[in-house]
Each structure stands twice: as structure tokens, then as C-alpha cells.
Amino acid sequence: MDRYEKINLHCKGKVDTMENEKSRRRGKRMKKKVWIIGGGASGMMAAITAAKEGMDVTIAEHMDRVGKKILSTGNGRCNMTNLSLRPEHYRSSQKLFPMKVLDRFSVWDTLNFFDSIGIVTKNRNGYIYPNSDQAASVLDALRFETEHLGVQTVLSCHIKKAWKMKNGMFTVESDQGTFKVDSLILAAGSKAAPVSGSDGSGYDLAKSFGHTIIKPLPALVQLKCKGTFFKQLAGVRCEAVVRLMSDGKTLAADEGEVQLTDYGISGIPTFQVSRYAACALDEGRQVSAVLDFFPSKSMEDTRSMLKQRKAALGYRPSGEFLNGVLNKKLAAVLLKQAGIPMNLTCDRLKDAQLDTLTMQLKKFEVPVTSTNSFEQAQVCCGGVDTRDIRPDTLESKLVKGLFLVGELTDVDGICGGYNLQWAWSTGAVAGTTAGRI
């Protein structure tokens, strides 16, 4: 090989090296960027699934840590999902929308996913928890997975605004800089439990892209009721049916352990129906809660039971008439509401008084004045109108490359793991789609 051939070979090698470097850089540039605003359950799931599709993924979280709300779910044990998923478990302005999404990423997909990242689950009558009974273990597994997949997490990052450019990319302006990205997933949560980071800022971002926001209201929350006797009842727990009434019609009803508080009613049955109270009250309608403290018996059977007690326990003072039937605090209030003197012996109770007491036991009605605030609510009803979101992808119908997931949308589930399942499903569907477009 002569001198000139060596020079040419050396130059060709340098050119090849330069071309390889350009290709490497070009390949890195061509790796699409996906930004997820919100590092809660849906945001972390979206990040993981998008990263698995080979995307360059960043989570922007305005709190000092991701997944803070996950830690409080299931009273700290994390009710991850529920084996029974039916349309009636979700509420939305589009009744069929939730199940269309859940069909794309089901409860079984969720269980397989968490098994793949090291979470062993246990089944409690269909309610699924981590075997550790610790919500922190679920959060840690999600966090480890995002780190393993190279997802970047920017904490204490406050988004100022975001918009789509003519070239199809998005610009995200934050207090930590301005960024250009290919796809944007809004997973900023609702207004419920703002201490965990859900401050409603996601609604403003969605609105800036042209989306309609159905007024968010507290849901899965306690109800404030009118009645001076509630201070006396504070701390009482009992099995009951809670039926919400407005304009003579039943809005919703649920049965289970009701907690009586100094301001009204709480407990899971109250949470399950609370969103209907919030909506009706917001419309200016009057709402009342009708409590059935003896759901195992009919009205007639309850009255017969009281007559039998009068015959058998006639020697007792009427203040002890319901001893062994209900909590003493509750019994005292019901007897007073029925107009029964405490020092009267039971054998002197009149049929009319027994009838009134029967009504108090079966239809104890109290006016609902309001729900508790967003601070006490587990989720919100309302949010981004689902009519402008594609159920098969969670992509906006208005802006290509924009996705809306989790509690930000106008979908709320009942207690029992349904809202976390909504987060997992929407995050997975959106993340997978964003990673493929």
C-alpha cells in the first residue's frame, strides 16, 4: 500500500467515524420526547409504558416527591384495584366511556403489570391489596421501575403554560426552563386532597388547549347535615342504609357502616352517594339524607319487634327501650325525636308512639347542607369533558399528541380500588399510544 492509499484510508476512516457519530446523534434526536405533567398513579404508569415503547420520557411533578397521594389510598394499605369491574362502579357524563377505556387495560393487565415489577398481591373478597399491606411498597416499585427505564423526574416543577407549535411539537414553559416535546400527557389530578398535590392546575392547562371543564365538585366525601343532636352522636358507628333524596326522588343509596359525626354523616355508604349530593346542592336543589338504622327488617317487621319489646319489657323505663338494639347515644336521640319521655315505663307506650319510633328507626331524615371541602374529598366528580377524548387512546380529539388521564377526566369511581384502576388503565393506554405515534 503506497503513501496516497494510506492517506485515503485514514481520511475514509475519519469520515466513517464522523458519519457514525452523526447517525448516533441523529438517532438520539429522533428518539421522541414525551412529557408527563403530574407524577401520581396515572402519570407514573404513563411514564413506564411510554418508556417501554422506547420514548425519552420526563415526569414533571410540582411536589417534592412523586406519588404522594398513593400513600394515603386504602388507609395506607393501597387498595390497588378490584376484581369486579362493572359500569355501575363508575360515574361520568358519558356512561359507556369508562368501560371502553378499562377494556383496553383491564384489571388482569394491572395484576400482571404489578407482578412484573415485584408486587405480590392478595385478594380480600375481590379487593386487591399488596401483600405487604403497605401503599409505600407500591409507590417504591413504580419509582424503581421509572428509574430502571431511564425516566427523568423533575421535582418541584411548576408549569406556567403549554402550547402546540406549528411544527406539531409542544412547548412547555416551567419555572425550571422551557422544553420542546413531541407528546404531552396531562396527569395533574383533580382538586381533591390538595395536600397531596392535586391543586386543580391541570384543569387550566386542559382548558388552554380548548377542552371543556365540567365543574369539579368534591366526591367520596363526608356530608354536613342540619341537626343539633349530631354533637351528641359524634363517634357512633352503625350499620345503616343512606338514601339521598331530592324533590321526592331517590338520587342514590348505599348500605354499610355509617359514621355519625358532630357535623353530619361519614363512612363508606356516605362516600358512595356523596357526589350526587354535591351535584344537586350545586344546582341549588334541596337534599336530605334518609337513614335506615334497621336495614335487615321491613317497616312492618320493625313495628312488630317494638310491640313485642313493649310486651316483654314493660317494666323498664322507656329510656332503656332500645337497649341491645342500637348504640345508647343513638337510641336516646331517636327516642327523643319520637317524643317519648325517658322516665315513662315501656308498658305505657302508646301505639302512635311506637309508630313514630318505627319511622325514626327506618326513615330518620336530616337535611344535607353541604359536602365537606376538597381537602377532605378522596376524588372529584367533574373534570375534562370525556366527549373530547378518544376512549381507545385517551388522546384529545382537539389536539393531536395531547393526552388526558386519571382524575383530571370527568370520571369518578366508587370506593374499593376503582379510582386507582382508572389511573392505571388511563395511564397505560395513553403512555403506550404516546410512545407509538
Side-chain angles (χ1 to χ4, degrees), residues 289-307:
V290 180
L291 306 179
D292 180 354
F293 293 115
F294 229 99
S296 63
K297 289 184 179 292
S298 67
M299 186 78 75
E300 186 56 39
D301 287 344
T302 302
R303 190 180 185 283
S304 296
M305 177 194 70
L306 295 182
K307 290 182 72 175

PDB file of all heavy atoms in Angstrom, residues 289-307:
ATOM      1  N   ALA A 289     -80.781  13.387  53.634  1.00  0.00           N
ATOM      2  CA  ALA A 289     -80.293  12.015  53.794  1.00  0.00           C
ATOM      3  C   ALA A 289     -81.283  11.274  54.682  1.00  0.00           C
ATOM      4  O   ALA A 289     -81.601  11.725  55.782  1.00  0.00           O
ATOM      5  CB  ALA A 289     -78.910  12.009  54.429  1.00  0.00           C
ATOM      6  N   VAL A 290     -81.787  10.159  54.195  1.00  0.00           N
ATOM      7  CA  VAL A 290     -82.726   9.332  54.950  1.00  0.00           C
ATOM      8  C   VAL A 290     -81.974   8.080  55.391  1.00  0.00           C
ATOM      9  O   VAL A 290     -81.497   7.309  54.549  1.00  0.00           O
ATOM     10  CB  VAL A 290     -83.962   8.965  54.109  1.00  0.00           C
ATOM     11  CG1 VAL A 290     -84.922   8.109  54.931  1.00  0.00           C
ATOM     12  CG2 VAL A 290     -84.665  10.225  53.610  1.00  0.00           C
ATOM     13  N   LEU A 291     -81.864   7.901  56.706  1.00  0.00           N
ATOM     14  CA  LEU A 291     -81.084   6.797  57.248  1.00  0.00           C
ATOM     15  C   LEU A 291     -82.005   5.704  57.774  1.00  0.00           C
ATOM     16  O   LEU A 291     -82.950   5.977  58.526  1.00  0.00           O
ATOM     17  CB  LEU A 291     -80.192   7.288  58.387  1.00  0.00           C
ATOM     18  CG  LEU A 291     -79.259   8.465  58.065  1.00  0.00           C
ATOM     19  CD1 LEU A 291     -78.461   8.860  59.291  1.00  0.00           C
ATOM     20  CD2 LEU A 291     -78.326   8.122  56.923  1.00  0.00           C
ATOM     21  N   ASP A 292     -81.740   4.480  57.349  1.00  0.00           N
ATOM     22  CA  ASP A 292     -82.449   3.307  57.850  1.00  0.00           C
ATOM     23  C   ASP A 292     -81.510   2.576  58.796  1.00  0.00           C
ATOM     24  O   ASP A 292     -80.551   1.939  58.364  1.00  0.00           O
ATOM     25  CB  ASP A 292     -82.859   2.407  56.674  1.00  0.00           C
ATOM     26  CG  ASP A 292     -83.615   1.159  57.113  1.00  0.00           C
ATOM     27  OD1 ASP A 292     -83.719   0.920  58.332  1.00  0.00           O
ATOM     28  OD2 ASP A 292     -84.093   0.423  56.230  1.00  0.00           O
ATOM     29  N   PHE A 293     -81.792   2.685  60.099  1.00  0.00           N
ATOM     30  CA  PHE A 293     -80.914   2.099  61.104  1.00  0.00           C
ATOM     31  C   PHE A 293     -81.211   0.627  61.365  1.00  0.00           C
ATOM     32  O   PHE A 293     -80.538   0.004  62.185  1.00  0.00           O
ATOM     33  CB  PHE A 293     -81.027   2.871  62.419  1.00  0.00           C
ATOM     34  CG  PHE A 293     -80.491   4.281  62.336  1.00  0.00           C
ATOM     35  CD1 PHE A 293     -81.334   5.369  62.499  1.00  0.00           C
ATOM     36  CD2 PHE A 293     -79.155   4.504  62.093  1.00  0.00           C
ATOM     37  CE1 PHE A 293     -80.849   6.667  62.433  1.00  0.00           C
ATOM     38  CE2 PHE A 293     -78.653   5.799  62.022  1.00  0.00           C
ATOM     39  CZ  PHE A 293     -79.503   6.883  62.193  1.00  0.00           C
ATOM     40  N   PHE A 294     -82.204   0.090  60.670  1.00  0.00           N
ATOM     41  CA  PHE A 294     -82.530  -1.318  60.832  1.00  0.00           C
ATOM     42  C   PHE A 294     -82.776  -1.938  59.454  1.00  0.00           C
ATOM     43  O   PHE A 294     -83.872  -2.390  59.146  1.00  0.00           O
ATOM     44  CB  PHE A 294     -83.769  -1.496  61.724  1.00  0.00           C
ATOM     45  CG  PHE A 294     -83.570  -2.508  62.799  1.00  0.00           C
ATOM     46  CD1 PHE A 294     -83.242  -2.115  64.093  1.00  0.00           C
ATOM     47  CD2 PHE A 294     -83.673  -3.869  62.526  1.00  0.00           C
ATOM     48  CE1 PHE A 294     -83.049  -3.048  65.093  1.00  0.00           C
ATOM     49  CE2 PHE A 294     -83.480  -4.807  63.514  1.00  0.00           C
ATOM     50  CZ  PHE A 294     -83.168  -4.401  64.801  1.00  0.00           C
ATOM     51  N   PRO A 295     -81.743  -1.946  58.587  1.00  0.00           N
ATOM     52  CA  PRO A 295     -81.925  -2.385  57.205  1.00  0.00           C
ATOM     53  C   PRO A 295     -82.302  -3.859  57.052  1.00  0.00           C
ATOM     54  O   PRO A 295     -82.809  -4.268  56.010  1.00  0.00           O
ATOM     55  CB  PRO A 295     -80.561  -2.098  56.563  1.00  0.00           C
ATOM     56  CG  PRO A 295     -79.600  -2.060  57.697  1.00  0.00           C
ATOM     57  CD  PRO A 295     -80.359  -1.525  58.860  1.00  0.00           C
ATOM     58  N   SER A 296     -82.080  -4.657  58.097  1.00  0.00           N
ATOM     59  CA  SER A 296     -82.389  -6.091  57.993  1.00  0.00           C
ATOM     60  C   SER A 296     -83.876  -6.388  58.141  1.00  0.00           C
ATOM     61  O   SER A 296     -84.320  -7.510  57.877  1.00  0.00           O
ATOM     62  CB  SER A 296     -81.604  -6.877  59.058  1.00  0.00           C
ATOM     63  OG  SER A 296     -81.997  -6.467  60.367  1.00  0.00           O
ATOM     64  N   LYS A 297     -84.662  -5.397  58.574  1.00  0.00           N
ATOM     65  CA  LYS A 297     -86.097  -5.620  58.779  1.00  0.00           C
ATOM     66  C   LYS A 297     -86.918  -4.626  57.963  1.00  0.00           C
ATOM     67  O   LYS A 297     -86.506  -3.485  57.742  1.00  0.00           O
ATOM     68  CB  LYS A 297     -86.465  -5.470  60.259  1.00  0.00           C
ATOM     69  CG  LYS A 297     -85.964  -6.597  61.157  1.00  0.00           C
ATOM     70  CD  LYS A 297     -86.463  -6.416  62.575  1.00  0.00           C
ATOM     71  CE  LYS A 297     -85.984  -7.555  63.480  1.00  0.00           C
ATOM     72  NZ  LYS A 297     -86.614  -8.847  63.119  1.00  0.00           N
ATOM     73  N   SER A 298     -88.097  -5.069  57.547  1.00  0.00           N
ATOM     74  CA  SER A 298     -89.028  -4.182  56.862  1.00  0.00           C
ATOM     75  C   SER A 298     -89.666  -3.238  57.877  1.00  0.00           C
ATOM     76  O   SER A 298     -89.512  -3.408  59.100  1.00  0.00           O
ATOM     77  CB  SER A 298     -90.123  -4.995  56.161  1.00  0.00           C
ATOM     78  OG  SER A 298     -90.949  -5.635  57.139  1.00  0.00           O
ATOM     79  N   MET A 299     -90.419  -2.268  57.380  1.00  0.00           N
ATOM     80  CA  MET A 299     -91.111  -1.338  58.261  1.00  0.00           C
ATOM     81  C   MET A 299     -92.069  -2.093  59.192  1.00  0.00           C
ATOM     82  O   MET A 299     -92.110  -1.846  60.405  1.00  0.00           O
ATOM     83  CB  MET A 299     -91.879  -0.312  57.422  1.00  0.00           C
ATOM     84  CG  MET A 299     -92.530   0.799  58.222  1.00  0.00           C
ATOM     85  SD  MET A 299     -91.344   2.062  58.734  1.00  0.00           S
ATOM     86  CE  MET A 299     -91.098   2.918  57.176  1.00  0.00           C
ATOM     87  N   GLU A 300     -92.820  -3.010  58.625  1.00  0.00           N
ATOM     88  CA  GLU A 300     -93.805  -3.751  59.409  1.00  0.00           C
ATOM     89  C   GLU A 300     -93.137  -4.659  60.430  1.00  0.00           C
ATOM     90  O   GLU A 300     -93.577  -4.760  61.590  1.00  0.00           O
ATOM     91  CB  GLU A 300     -94.704  -4.579  58.482  1.00  0.00           C
ATOM     92  CG  GLU A 300     -95.863  -5.279  59.182  1.00  0.00           C
ATOM     93  CD  GLU A 300     -96.751  -4.311  59.959  1.00  0.00           C
ATOM     94  OE1 GLU A 300     -97.001  -3.198  59.469  1.00  0.00           O
ATOM     95  OE2 GLU A 300     -97.184  -4.675  61.070  1.00  0.00           O
ATOM     96  N   ASP A 301     -92.053  -5.322  60.013  1.00  0.00           N
ATOM     97  CA  ASP A 301     -91.339  -6.197  60.948  1.00  0.00           C
ATOM     98  C   ASP A 301     -90.709  -5.397  62.082  1.00  0.00           C
ATOM     99  O   ASP A 301     -90.638  -5.865  63.229  1.00  0.00           O
ATOM    100  CB  ASP A 301     -90.253  -6.986  60.208  1.00  0.00           C
ATOM    101  CG  ASP A 301     -90.827  -8.086  59.329  1.00  0.00           C
ATOM    102  OD1 ASP A 301     -92.005  -8.433  59.530  1.00  0.00           O
ATOM    103  OD2 ASP A 301     -90.098  -8.576  58.451  1.00  0.00           O
ATOM    104  N   THR A 302     -90.252  -4.203  61.782  1.00  0.00           N
ATOM    105  CA  THR A 302     -89.669  -3.343  62.809  1.00  0.00           C
ATOM    106  C   THR A 302     -90.733  -2.938  63.825  1.00  0.00           C
ATOM    107  O   THR A 302     -90.485  -2.964  65.046  1.00  0.00           O
ATOM    108  CB  THR A 302     -89.037  -2.091  62.177  1.00  0.00           C
ATOM    109  OG1 THR A 302     -88.038  -2.486  61.234  1.00  0.00           O
ATOM    110  CG2 THR A 302     -88.394  -1.203  63.233  1.00  0.00           C
ATOM    111  N   ARG A 303     -91.916  -2.568  63.333  1.00  0.00           N
ATOM    112  CA  ARG A 303     -93.002  -2.192  64.242  1.00  0.00           C
ATOM    113  C   ARG A 303     -93.414  -3.385  65.109  1.00  0.00           C
ATOM    114  O   ARG A 303     -93.660  -3.244  66.305  1.00  0.00           O
ATOM    115  CB  ARG A 303     -94.203  -1.673  63.455  1.00  0.00           C
ATOM    116  CG  ARG A 303     -95.267  -1.035  64.355  1.00  0.00           C
ATOM    117  CD  ARG A 303     -96.440  -0.536  63.545  1.00  0.00           C
ATOM    118  NE  ARG A 303     -97.382   0.168  64.410  1.00  0.00           N
ATOM    119  CZ  ARG A 303     -98.239  -0.411  65.241  1.00  0.00           C
ATOM    120  NH1 ARG A 303     -98.268  -1.743  65.335  1.00  0.00           N
ATOM    121  NH2 ARG A 303     -99.062   0.298  65.989  1.00  0.00           N
ATOM    122  N   SER A 304     -93.475  -4.577  64.526  1.00  0.00           N
ATOM    123  CA  SER A 304     -93.819  -5.786  65.291  1.00  0.00           C
ATOM    124  C   SER A 304     -92.780  -6.052  66.373  1.00  0.00           C
ATOM    125  O   SER A 304     -93.122  -6.449  67.499  1.00  0.00           O
ATOM    126  CB  SER A 304     -93.922  -6.989  64.351  1.00  0.00           C
ATOM    127  OG  SER A 304     -94.972  -6.819  63.420  1.00  0.00           O
ATOM    128  N   MET A 305     -91.522  -5.841  66.039  1.00  0.00           N
ATOM    129  CA  MET A 305     -90.452  -6.040  67.020  1.00  0.00           C
ATOM    130  C   MET A 305     -90.635  -5.093  68.206  1.00  0.00           C
ATOM    131  O   MET A 305     -90.477  -5.497  69.377  1.00  0.00           O
ATOM    132  CB  MET A 305     -89.093  -5.791  66.365  1.00  0.00           C
ATOM    133  CG  MET A 305     -87.909  -5.904  67.327  1.00  0.00           C
ATOM    134  SD  MET A 305     -86.373  -5.233  66.645  1.00  0.00           S
ATOM    135  CE  MET A 305     -86.752  -3.469  66.657  1.00  0.00           C
ATOM    136  N   LEU A 306     -90.986  -3.825  67.927  1.00  0.00           N
ATOM    137  CA  LEU A 306     -91.181  -2.855  69.002  1.00  0.00           C
ATOM    138  C   LEU A 306     -92.377  -3.229  69.879  1.00  0.00           C
ATOM    139  O   LEU A 306     -92.326  -3.082  71.110  1.00  0.00           O
ATOM    140  CB  LEU A 306     -91.370  -1.455  68.418  1.00  0.00           C
ATOM    141  CG  LEU A 306     -90.160  -0.859  67.666  1.00  0.00           C
ATOM    142  CD1 LEU A 306     -90.481   0.550  67.182  1.00  0.00           C
ATOM    143  CD2 LEU A 306     -88.911  -0.838  68.557  1.00  0.00           C
ATOM    144  N   LYS A 307     -93.434  -3.733  69.279  1.00  0.00           N
ATOM    145  CA  LYS A 307     -94.610  -4.160  70.046  1.00  0.00           C
ATOM    146  C   LYS A 307     -94.267  -5.339  70.956  1.00  0.00           C
ATOM    147  O   LYS A 307     -94.702  -5.409  72.110  1.00  0.00           O
ATOM    148  CB  LYS A 307     -95.748  -4.530  69.099  1.00  0.00           C
ATOM    149  CG  LYS A 307     -96.369  -3.333  68.380  1.00  0.00           C
ATOM    150  CD  LYS A 307     -97.525  -3.728  67.496  1.00  0.00           C
ATOM    151  CE  LYS A 307     -98.742  -4.113  68.321  1.00  0.00           C
ATOM    152  NZ  LYS A 307     -99.927  -4.383  67.486  1.00  0.00           N
TER     153      LYS A 307
END
